C-alpha cells in the first residue's frame, strides 16, 4: 500500500473555487501548495485552515499572466519542497487561477483578448510545461474550464472560446503524458456564486434567477459543489479517468 503523502498545487487557491478545492483536497489527506496573485492575507488564512485539518500547506505569489516569472516560481516551489519533503516533486497540478471578461464581440479590445489568452491559455500551457519535470509519474493535471465552453451566452465569446481551447489542450496532455501515467482532465463548473467577475452571478438577482431557472436542479452553484470533484480527481479512485471533461453545473442548459 502506498503510504506516501501526495502533494497538490492549486493556482488561485486563496478564494472561490480554488480555495474550496484546496480545502477539499486537504480533506482527502494530501498536502497542498496554493498560489495567490495579490492577496497574501487571504492566502495565509487558507494555509492556516488547511493546517488545522492536519495537512501541510504553503502559499506562493504567482501571476499566471506573467509567463516570464514562471522559472523563478518553479525554483522557489521546488526549493521549498526539497527542504521540507526531501523531494522536488508534486503529484497533482490544478490550473484554476483566472479572471472573467464580460463584453460583446463588438466591444472587446485586443488588450482584453490578450489578457484572457495569457491568463487562461498561455499561463496554463507554460506553467504546466515548466512543472512537468516535477510532477511524479502516475500523478495528474486538472484544468478548470467552464460551462461556457459548451453553451454560448452573450458577452462571453472570448472567455468561452479560450476555455474550449483549454479543453482540447487537456486531451493533448492526456495523450502525450500517458507514457508517464499522468492523467489530465477538465472540471467545467457552471455558474457559481463567488466573487468571480465582480460577483455578478452571486449579487445580480436577475442573473441569479436566470441561471437557477436554466438549471435542472433549480439553483445556482456554490463553491462546495465544485471542490469535491476536483479533490476526487486527485485520488487513486479517479486513476482510470483520463482526457475527460466533467461538467459540474447541476444540469445547466440541458
Amino acid at each position: 500500500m502506498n503510504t506516501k503523502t501526495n502533494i497538490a498545487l492549486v493556482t488561485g487557491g486563496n478564494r472561490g473555487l480554488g480555495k474550496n478545492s484546496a480545502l477539499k483536497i486537504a480533506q482527502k489527506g494530501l498536502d497542498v501548495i496554493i498560489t495567490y496573485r495579490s492577496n497574501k492575507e487571504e492566502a495565509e488564512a487558507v494555509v492556516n485552515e488547511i493546517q488545522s485539518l492536519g495537512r501541510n500547506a504553503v502559499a506562493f505569489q504567482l501571476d499566471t499572466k506573467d509567463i516570464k516569472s514562471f522559472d523563478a516560481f518553479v525554483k522557489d516551489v521546488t526549493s521549498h519542497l526539497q527542504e521540507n519533503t526531501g523531494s522536488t516533486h508534486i503529484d497533482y497540478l490544478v490550473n484554476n487561477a483566472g479572471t472573467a471578461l464580460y463584453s460583446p464581440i463588438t466591444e472587446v479590445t485586443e488588450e482584453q483578448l490578450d489578457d484572457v489568452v495569457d491568463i487562461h491559455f498561455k499561463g496554463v500551457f507554460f506553467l504546466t510545461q515548466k512543472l512537468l519535470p516535477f510532477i511524479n509519474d502516475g500523478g495528474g493535471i486538472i484544468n478548470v474550464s467552464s460551462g461556457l465552453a459548451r453553451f454560448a451566452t452573450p458577452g462571453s465569446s472570448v472567455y468561452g472560446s479560450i476555455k474550449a481551447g483549454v479543453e482540447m489542450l487537456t486531451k493533448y496532455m492526456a495523450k502525450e503524458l500517458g507514457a508517464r501515467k499522468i492523467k489530465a482532465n477538465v472540471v467545467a463548473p457552471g455558474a457559481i456564486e463567488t466573487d468571480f467577475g465582480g460577483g455578478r452571478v452571486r449579487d445580480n438577482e436577475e442573473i441569479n434567477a436566470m441561471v437557477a431557472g436554466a438549471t435542472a436542479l433549480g439553483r445556482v452553484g456554490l463553491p462546495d459543489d465544485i471542490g469535491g470533484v476536483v479533490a476526487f480527481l486527485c485520488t487513486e479512485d479517479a486513476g482510470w479517468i483520463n482526457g475527460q471533461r466533467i461538467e459540474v453545473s447541476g444540469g445547466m442548459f440541458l
Side-chain angles (χ1 to χ4, degrees):
M1 182 178 177
N2 182 13
T3 58
K4 168 184 168 293
T5 299
N6 286 341
I7 301 171
L9 191 159
V10 182
T11 65
N14 57 302
R15 61 172 64 185
L17 303 187
K19 173 184 176 180
N20 190 267
S21 296
L23 292 171
K24 292 292 180 68
I25 288 168
Q27 290 170 8
K28 292 286 189 183
L30 285 76
D31 292 340
V32 186
I33 299 167
I34 66 169
T35 75
Y36 64 95
R37 185 175 65 85
S38 59
N39 197 323
K40 184 177 181 178
E41 292 74 19
E42 224 174 35
E44 290 299 335
V46 177
V47 166
N48 291 336
E49 198 168 345
I50 292 171
Q51 290 173 339
S52 74
L53 297 170
R55 304 311 325 162
N56 294 317
V58 65
F60 289 90
Q61 193 278 331
L62 177 69
D63 183 350
T64 55
K65 186 173 74 171
D66 185 6
I67 313 296
K68 290 181 173 60
S69 72
F70 288 0
D71 284 332
F73 167 76
V74 172
K75 183 177 180 181
D76 288 344
V77 169
T78 54
S79 296
H80 168 84
L81 288 168
Q82 182 66 54
E83 182 177 340
N84 289 274
T85 71
S87 168
T88 56
H89 283 50
I90 63 174
D91 299 279
Y92 297 96
L93 169 62
V94 181
N95 286 306
N96 163 78
T99 58
L101 173 63
Y102 302 105
S103 182
I105 291 171
T106 53
E107 297 178 13
V108 172
T109 67
E110 184 177 3
E111 182 181 16
Q112 287 176 318
L113 189 147
D114 285 345
D115 278 350
V116 177
V117 171
D118 287 349
I119 294 167
H120 290 280
F121 192 86
K122 285 179 66 177
V124 169
F125 188 102
F126 287 109
L127 184 62
T128 302
Q129 182 192 73
K130 299 288 187 183
L131 284 169
L132 271 175
F134 305 102
I135 297 177
N136 282 319
D137 290 358
I141 298 163
I142 298 96
N143 293 324
V144 176
S145 179
S146 170
L148 292 165
R150 176 177 63 85
F151 52 77
T153 62
S156 293
S157 61
V158 175
Y159 181 82
S161 298
I162 298 306
K163 285 300 192 183
V166 168
E167 294 188 3
M168 194 67 213
L169 172 63
T170 305
K171 293 183 179 182
Y172 276 96
M173 289 179 177
K175 193 75 169 180
E176 294 191 14
L177 302 177
R180 294 182 53 193
K181 304 297 184 286
I182 292 175
K183 288 81 62 183
N185 292 290
V186 166
V187 171
I192 307 293
E193 289 188 2
T194 69
D195 56 7
F196 187 76
R200 69 199 300 266
V201 173
R202 179 190 60 206
D203 301 333
N204 185 310
E205 291 184 9
E206 185 177 343
I207 292 175
N208 195 287
M210 182 277 291
V211 171
T215 302
L217 293 181
R219 65 169 174 83
V220 176
L222 302 170
D224 263 343
D225 297 320
I226 312 300
V229 180
V230 175
F232 165 67
L233 291 172
C234 295
T235 68
E236 291 182 2
D237 287 342
W240 202 236
I241 300 175
N242 194 24
Q244 300 304 304
R245 176 189 192 273
I246 302 172
E247 182 168 317
V248 192
S249 68
M252 187 173 176
F253 289 128
L254 293 178

